[in-house]
Amino acid sequence: MERIFNFSAGPSTLPVETLKEASEKLVNYENSGMSLIEMSHRGKLYDAVHTETIALARELLAVPDNYQVLLLQGGATLQFGMVPMAFLQEGRTADYILTGSWSKKAYNDGKAVGTANVPWDGKDENYARMPGQSELNLTDNAAYVHICSNETIGGIQFKDFPDTGDVPLIADMSSDILSRPLPWDKIDMAYAGSQKNLAPSGMAMVIISDALLQKARKDIPAYLRYDLHADGNSLYNTPPSFVVWMTGLTLKWIKSIGGMAEVERRRDEKADMLYGMMENSGGYYRNPVDTATRSPMNVVWRLPSEDLEKKFIAEAQDQGLSGLKGHRSVGGCRASIYNAMPVEGVKTLVDFMKAFMEKNG
Ligand SMILES: *Cc1c(COP(=O)(O)O)cnc(C)c1O
């Protein structure tokens, strides 16, 4: 059977080149007589993979020298807890901008640890847009401001990162990391679970400034300590070696296609094609979010009825277009079109949508 187009939100499609290279090398890595995922993480062969993966992430994201790139277990969800454990000291307040499901989860963990304030909440508008700078009631001297740069379920994205002055900005970028260059003058920490735009699940990439690292609490359990991970070059304990390897292969693939400029070009080509199709559908496919802050990674839409949505998803699946069901909390349809989704996949989807509308309009 051939591979199909997989629009799943995560774990999600990976570049086929990455999968092929890993499978070719899986059993006997570089003539070592064993797999990379069977060998010591303290050995030379693994160390080369680990070092190269971090170097490629630094290069592609233009990470400044005074930031560290960490590769940690526990996904983005562990970061929801690690951030307040490390940075939300007694007597301080952290700001959490609420723009949908994922920022809410981060906020809940902040509240579980300390005092969390909400400078803006999109709830009354059904989380259909990101706020502008002037709408944010930021706390003076907050411990940090937390945002989710791209809400994977709601399908909205901060186009500009908020300006938080001297207060550190921490961004959950799980579903849009490596889809755009980052303004490091505004961001103190960005983190992302691996299974959207990087690799299989099992890891979070954390990019953190030295200035913020210095504020990390040291009187907490070891794994929660960013300073220990930074001092140990993310080898404080056994790293998720398979995911680190796959991340490195994906980063090399990005370089091979032309780097971030090509990633951005393909991103816009795919998003424009899909949003454009919906705009020209006479309201048949309705994207429920604000045009100015709609996501180029997770595109959501409704059909005229839930019955039609069910039919749409089932027929698409039959034609090799998988994973188009919206998140169970919001319903509707969603296509996650991360870096590894080929332009051809979105083209096929758009053709299917046109044909479906003609038959069922
Ligand atoms: C998927 C996702 C998460 C959760 O990631 P895990 O790796 O499963 O913990 C958090 N935030 C965002 C924005 C996501 O898309």
Side-chain angles (χ1 to χ4, degrees), residues 74-77 80 102 148 150 152 172 174-175 193 195-196:
T77 300
F80 293 165
W102 290 115
C148 176
N150 185 77
T152 319
D172 173 5
S174 294
S175 49
Q195 72 277 21
K196 313 278 164 64

Side-chain angles (χ1 to χ4, degrees), residues 82-361:
M82 265 175 86
V83 163
M85 287 297 285
F87 302 119
L88 185 46
Q89 305 89 339
E90 233 6 286
R92 301 288 300 279
T93 298
D95 278 348
Y96 282 85
I97 299 176
L98 298 191
T99 53
S101 309
W102 290 115
S103 51
K104 189 83 187 290
K105 283 210 167 147
Y107 168 64
N108 287 341
D109 273 6
K111 262 196 319 188
V113 172
T115 307
N117 173 61
V118 177
W120 190 82
D121 188 346
K123 189 170 167 222
D124 292 344
E125 295 172 57
N126 256 327
Y127 296 114
R129 70 178 179 95
M130 289 298 191
Q133 180 77 32
S134 63
E135 297 175 277
L136 306 175
N137 290 313
L138 298 174
T139 305
D140 284 341
N141 198 26
Y144 56 83
V145 177
H146 183 280
I147 63 166
C148 176
S149 59
N150 185 77
E151 287 281 2
T152 319
I153 295 172
I156 52 174
Q157 184 189 49
F158 273 105
K159 302 297 166 181
D160 293 315
F161 287 78
D163 190 344
T164 58
D166 290 336
V167 175
L169 177 65
I170 299 179
D172 173 5
M173 301 200 65
S174 294
S175 49
D176 68 346
I177 189 94
L178 273 158
S179 71
R180 51 173 165 170
L182 295 180
W184 293 111
D185 55 330
K186 282 183 166 177
I187 302 172
D188 277 83
M189 172 172 158
Y191 64 89
S194 50
Q195 72 277 21
K196 313 278 164 64
N197 230 350
L198 297 172
S201 61
M203 190 183 86
M205 180 180 283
V206 176
I207 307 171
I208 182 170
S209 72
D210 288 337
L212 186 58
L213 258 180
Q214 275 172 9
K215 296 182 189 162
R217 249 174 87 167
K218 293 183 166 55
D219 57 343
I220 50 179
Y223 201 85
L224 306 181
R225 287 180 55 185
Y226 290 105
D227 62 306
L228 284 185
H229 291 299
D231 292 348
N233 189 29
S234 302
L235 292 164
Y236 174 77
N237 71 328
T238 315
S241 51
F242 180 63
V243 192
V244 173
W245 180 31
M246 293 292 286
T247 300
L249 293 179
T250 302
L251 296 172
K252 275 198 246 180
W253 171 77
I254 289 180
K255 279 193 78 166
S256 77
I257 64 167
M260 290 306 286
E262 178 62 11
V263 162
E264 288 186 89
R265 197 194 63 71
R266 292 185 188 185
R267 174 201 68 199
D268 290 344
E269 184 181 353
K270 289 183 286 182
D272 290 350
M273 216 191 315
L274 194 44
Y275 283 117
M277 192 271 140
M278 289 194 266
E279 278 164 10
N280 292 323
S281 73
Y284 190 79
Y285 296 108
R286 195 175 50 83
N287 169 241
V289 306
D290 165 44
T291 307
T293 52
R294 65 193 185 187
S295 169
M297 296 280 111
N298 309 97
V299 179
V300 296
W301 68 89
R302 305 300 309 230
L303 272 81
S305 72
E306 286 187 20
D307 283 345
L308 279 170
E309 285 167 354
K310 272 200 199 113
K311 189 170 182 218
F312 176 92
I313 291 160
E315 286 184 14
Q317 179 73 46
D318 286 345
Q319 300 204 19
L321 300 164
S322 148
L324 291 168
K325 198 168 189 290
H327 191 267
R328 59 187 184 279
S329 63
V330 292
C333 302
R334 170 176 57 173
S336 295
I337 50 174
Y338 302 121
N339 292 347
M341 172 56 63
V343 172
E344 191 56 34
V346 177
K347 237 172 148 183
T348 308
L349 172 60
V350 163
D351 288 345
F352 170 78
M353 289 171 81
K354 283 183 191 156
F356 186 90
M357 182 171 73
E358 269 163 34
K359 264 191 283 168
N360 300 279

